Amino acid sequence: MNTNTDTGRQSPVTAPDIQARKGVDDKICCITAYDYPSAMIADSAGVDIVLVGDSLAMVVLGHRDTLSVTVDEMVHHTLAASRGVSRALLVADMPFMSYGTVERAMETAHSLMGRGRARAVKLEGGTAVVPQIRALTEAGIPVMGHVGLTPQHVARFGGFKAQGKSVEAARALIDDAQAVEEAGAFCVVLEAMPVECAQLITEAVDIPTIGIGAGSVTDGQILVYHDVLGLFDRFVPKFVRRYADLGEASRQALVQYCEDVRRGRFPGDKNTLYMPEDQVAQVRKLKVKKKK
Ligand code: KIV
């Protein structure tokens, strides 16, 4: 953890800081966030990377998959999240079909970093996106790779299915991760694959691997904010550990609120504004007529 020796405050985490943590005991801790409060809570909890994931399509916007989120929506949420982050590295996802060519990738990264204030971008894919990763990194843009179950390819996979389950499939994923590294990515997400496959990839690259559903062998872990806190109930992947049930806690709180309103118990004295005493006597004398 970097600390500024003059102020004693923790310095912002950078992409090179993350890259330098390959193989160290202290694992890299990442979480998604999509707005000011979630990013602020994640940052103050001490995470190293806040990812504005395109999973926002599902957990925030209610879509069935990640395919319909747009660059403008990602920019909107990234900018909101940027206001809540002071230490963590803020990474934004490049949405589906926004990096099909090198030119499109450059434009999208420009929007996410220039308008959204992200400090790095993430894109999905292996050997197929090498030209895009190379061009972005050569332009000074830190890139996080993402291989394995890449949700933007859900139609080709036939659903949200684990990848790398055979020797050939594992070999292809190792090639993908190495291609992403060679193209210049500073770290790579490994999603939904057997731990044996994640282990091989982690040993085969010199950049940190960040796992989600890839066992404990990776250099770091990432989960979706709403899964960790129990705010998304459509489905919970097996690899998620729920640390709180804020969805149910919020529902209970709102049931209580409705009851208090309906029975006249809210607002109470403490939630009510009163006039200064010298005004009260006079205001009572005001004659107010209904307008017809
Ligand atoms: O969109 C997302 O949230 C992600 C992470 C889960 C890695 O890509």
Side-chain angles (χ1 to χ4, degrees), residues 17-237:
D17 292 337
I18 297 294
Q19 190 162 354
R21 283 172 64 184
K22 173 70 185 178
V24 300
D25 284 344
D26 197 15
K27 299 225 180 196
I28 302 161
C29 182
C30 320
I31 191 93
T32 66
Y34 312 97
D35 54 16
Y36 171 75
S38 57
M40 191 262 291
I41 291 167
D43 190 72
S44 66
V47 304
D48 302 302
I49 294 179
V50 167
L51 169 71
V52 184
D54 61 354
S55 51
L56 89 83
M58 299 172 73
V59 300
V60 175
L61 304 178
H63 295 297
R64 293 274 145 195
D65 53 41
T66 61
L67 306 187
S68 4
V69 70
T70 65
V71 173
D72 282 344
E73 285 169 332
M74 290 302 300
V75 167
H76 177 84
H77 284 270
T78 304
L79 184 58
S82 76
R83 299 187 189 110
V85 168
S86 53
R87 176 186 166 269
L89 177 66
L90 185 68
V91 182
D93 247 337
M94 312 253 272
F96 181 56
M97 294 306 283
S98 72
Y99 52 97
T101 63
V102 165
E103 291 69 31
R104 280 284 282 136
M106 297 295 262
E107 278 168 24
T108 302
H110 185 195
S111 299
L112 293 170
M113 295 184 75
R115 290 195 282 132
R117 309 302 303 159
R119 290 193 289 122
V121 297
K122 175 165 85 57
L123 52 78
E124 297 183 5
T127 48
V129 288
V130 161
Q132 288 88 331
I133 298 178
R134 187 161 288 134
L136 291 166
T137 52
E138 280 172 5
I141 297 166
V143 176
M144 186 180 208
H146 185 163
V147 303
L149 168 52
T150 42
Q152 292 175 14
H153 303 121
V154 68
R156 180 158 59 82
F157 295 151
F160 294 97
K161 293 185 177 157
Q163 303 295 304
K165 293 205 279 189
S166 66
V167 177
E168 305 79 65
R171 180 72 255 172
L173 289 186
I174 295 168
D175 290 345
D176 278 338
Q178 287 182 325
V180 162
E181 172 183 31
E182 229 197 304
F186 69 93
C187 69
V188 60
V189 170
L190 311 184
E191 178 161 355
M193 63 182 67
V195 65
E196 296 83 356
C197 183
Q199 171 96 53
L200 284 171
I201 296 176
T202 300
E203 286 166 4
V205 296
D206 285 329
I207 53 174
T209 54
I210 310 291
I212 171 163
S216 63
V217 295
T218 51
D219 300 297
Q221 295 290 328
I222 186 162
L223 282 175
V224 168
Y225 187 92
H226 289 57
D227 288 339
V228 174
L229 299 179
L231 290 165
F232 183 68
D233 61 357
R234 213 178 282 154
F235 62 89
V236 184

